[in-house]
Amino acid sequence: MSRVYNFSAGPAVLPEEVLKEAADEMLDYQGTGMSVMEMSHRSKAYDDIIKTAEKDLRELMNIPDNYKVLFLQGGASQQFAMIPMNLMKNKVADYIVTGQWAKKAWQEASKYGKANKIASSEDKTFSYIPDCSDLPISEDADYVYICENNTIYGTKFKELPNTKGKTLVADISSCFLSEPIDVTKYGIIYGGVQKNVGPAGVVIVIIREDLITEDVLPGTPTMLKYKTHADADSLYNTPPAYGIYICGKVFKWLKKIGGLETMKKLNEEKAKILYDFLDSSKLFKGTVEPKDRSLMNVPFVTGSDELDAKFVAEAAKAGFVNLKGHRTVGGMRASIYNAMPKAGVEKLVEFMKKFEEENQ
Ligand SMILES: *Cc1c(COP(=O)(O)O)cnc(C)c1O
């Protein structure tokens, strides 16, 4: 067996320990004589799995009792519709557009009401986070929407926008559990887990209870009402059972290493190694405003498409895979999520130094 250093933006690297545990339990989960994949989601064994996962997540993120945790399907993209369908009582929402995912969410919301783009960084290819301290928040906005970490462009909100009292909704798909956050500042936090938490197929929604109502847009399908899933503790229908089980293991892994404070320190250390190199390199350079740099997704370029392609190819041969940038930006992107070991980043930088020397 040989494992690569996988810098994919998602689905992405998971802790090896978690994968090994899952392998050990594949045929016989804790004496049940079956795999979690084969198990009824109404069984006692599965009830323990999903309840423990929720409890551990609540502990890790310090989620207050007046928030529900929902394990849903449909990916982060389904939330682009579910949020307006459930929250647009006045049919008005304000969107801060800092990348493709925020833009898609804004476009989707426009189908259901007036979705105002109140700020954007598209003028500079989304390479920065706009000043959000005094935006023209709409009087009757049902919520203000952000994508907190922009996976494709490698920017992150270091400070939340001033929503002037309106409910904040945040897509945290690519910074989920990468550092502590204050849940009370948000109405809804959600993320597809395949970036930093688990296998594709699960989206976790953390939602303040007062936002869960029957008062949704007419025609909202049962499956797209938060209330349906909240009332049934995420077991209205068959949940993405195996995926939730793996997420639960990742939560345990995070608790074991010391929780989100420790994870943040480790992530800062890893990102610093890469950013420091980019700042000193004669060949490679980072593409975003330094103050807005993400700890998770690090895009960089050489300035030559040809050299970029050569770098990606040679890196892959050396065991550093999925470094090609998003098709809309080009260049390279190293996603260095929670489960990427520090050694992976150190070795990548060594490789980049060598490549730089050979290609001057
Ligand atoms: C990947 C990603 C999405 C889309 O996720 P899907 O689960 O594929 O729908 C949305 N938002 C962000 C920030 C992402 O990184």
Side-chain angles (χ1 to χ4, degrees):
M1 182 197 71
S2 110
R3 303 253 309 156
V4 292
Y5 286 114
N6 180 6
F7 294 92
S8 171
V13 57
L14 286 169
E16 219 164 271
E17 223 177 287
V18 165
L19 298 176
K20 282 186 180 145
E21 254 183 53
D24 285 345
E25 293 173 348
M26 185 58 74
L27 297 181
D28 177 8
Y29 175 74
Q30 296 189 356
T32 57
M34 64 178 85
S35 166
V36 174
M37 278 186 227
E38 303 169 300
M39 200 174 269
S40 164
H41 58 293
R42 312 267 176 216
S43 64
K44 170 79 176 72
Y46 195 74
D47 197 55
D48 284 348
I49 289 173
I50 192 166
K51 292 234 164 75
T52 305
E54 175 173 343
K55 186 173 142 286
D56 288 336
L57 180 63
R58 283 185 175 276
E59 243 178 84
L60 277 169
M61 292 180 74
N62 201 12
I63 301 174
D65 288 344
N66 64 325
Y67 284 75
K68 283 270 187 190
V69 173
L70 308 176
F71 295 98
L72 308 178
Q73 308 190 46
S77 299
Q78 184 159 283
Q79 293 305 308
F80 298 170
M82 212 160 154
I83 288 159
M85 284 176 146
N86 284 267
L87 261 53
M88 264 192 177
K89 321 282 179 198
N90 298 327
K91 297 216 173 184
V92 179
D94 289 345
Y95 279 71
I96 299 172
V97 177
T98 52
Q100 292 295 347
W101 296 118
K103 192 173 177 180
K104 283 190 170 164
W106 166 64
Q107 286 167 337
E108 188 70 14
S110 307
K111 294 184 163 181
Y112 302 100
K114 194 155 167 279
N116 303 304
K117 180 162 59 166
I118 56 166
S120 167
S121 51
E122 196 163 13
D123 60 334
K124 291 185 184 158
T125 333
F126 299 120
S127 60
Y128 69 102
I129 299 290
D131 176 4
C132 297
S133 57
D134 186 18
L135 293 173
I137 308 284
S138 311
E139 278 294 306
D140 51 352
D142 292 304
Y143 59 89
V144 176
Y145 182 100
I146 61 167
C147 176
E148 195 157 332
N149 185 80
N150 296 281
T151 325
I152 297 174
Y153 303 93
T155 60
K156 158 117 204 294
F157 281 82
K158 301 289 164 76
E159 219 175 293
L160 293 176
N162 175 4
T163 64
K164 303 184 180 172
K166 302 296 182 195
T167 296
L168 179 65
V169 173
D171 175 356
I172 59 160
S173 294
S174 51
C175 57
F176 220 143
L177 299 174
S178 63
E179 56 183 283
I181 65 172
D182 181 354
V183 174
T184 64
K185 296 219 152 74
Y186 306 79
I188 295 181
I189 304 170
Y190 78 93
V193 305
Q194 73 273 23
K195 308 291 161 69
N196 211 12
V197 186
V202 184
V203 56
I204 296 177
V205 176
I206 300 162
I207 178 169
R208 214 176 53 221
E209 272 170 359
D210 61 285
L211 299 171
I212 306 172
T213 65
E214 276 295 355
D215 178 22
V216 297
L217 296 188
T220 299
T222 307
M223 276 292 286
L224 298 188
K225 287 185 201 171
Y226 289 124
K227 192 160 192 317
T228 303
H229 299 286
D231 286 352
D233 293 324
S234 303
L235 293 170
Y236 171 72
N237 70 325
T238 319
Y242 194 80
I244 295 168
Y245 153 77
I246 301 290
C247 291
K249 289 201 176 297
V250 172
F251 303 153
K252 289 268 186 240
W253 173 78
L254 280 164
K255 282 176 70 176
K256 201 167 98 187
I257 65 168
L260 300 190
E261 282 293 349
T262 309
M263 196 67 248
K264 181 184 186 195
K265 282 202 192 87
L266 292 169
N267 284 331
E268 282 171 344
E269 277 172 35
K270 283 187 288 176
K272 187 173 186 321
I273 296 167
L274 191 45
Y275 284 125
D276 282 353
F277 171 67
L278 290 173
D279 289 341
S280 68
S281 168
K282 287 196 185 69
L283 180 64
F284 297 102
K285 68 175 203 320
T287 55
V288 312
E289 191 68 50
K291 70 173 179 30
D292 301 323
R293 283 169 168 174
S294 164
L295 291 180
M296 298 282 99
N297 311 98
V298 183
F300 55 95
V301 293
T302 62
S304 143
D305 289 348
E306 209 174 301
L307 265 187
D308 286 353
K310 186 175 176 208
F311 174 78
V312 169
E314 288 186 11
K317 258 188 232 148
F320 307 100
V321 309
N322 290 321
L323 281 164
K324 196 170 183 305
H326 190 266
R327 58 195 148 74
T328 60
V329 262
M332 281 72 72
R333 171 180 50 174
S335 294
I336 49 175
Y337 294 121
N338 288 351
M340 172 58 64
K342 190 172 167 187
V345 181
E346 286 167 343
K347 286 181 187 165
L348 173 66
V349 166
E350 270 169 45
F351 180 81
M352 289 167 79
K353 282 182 181 158
K354 190 167 135 281
F355 185 88
E356 180 172 322
E357 276 160 26
E358 291 166 359
N359 290 276
Q360 269 170 6

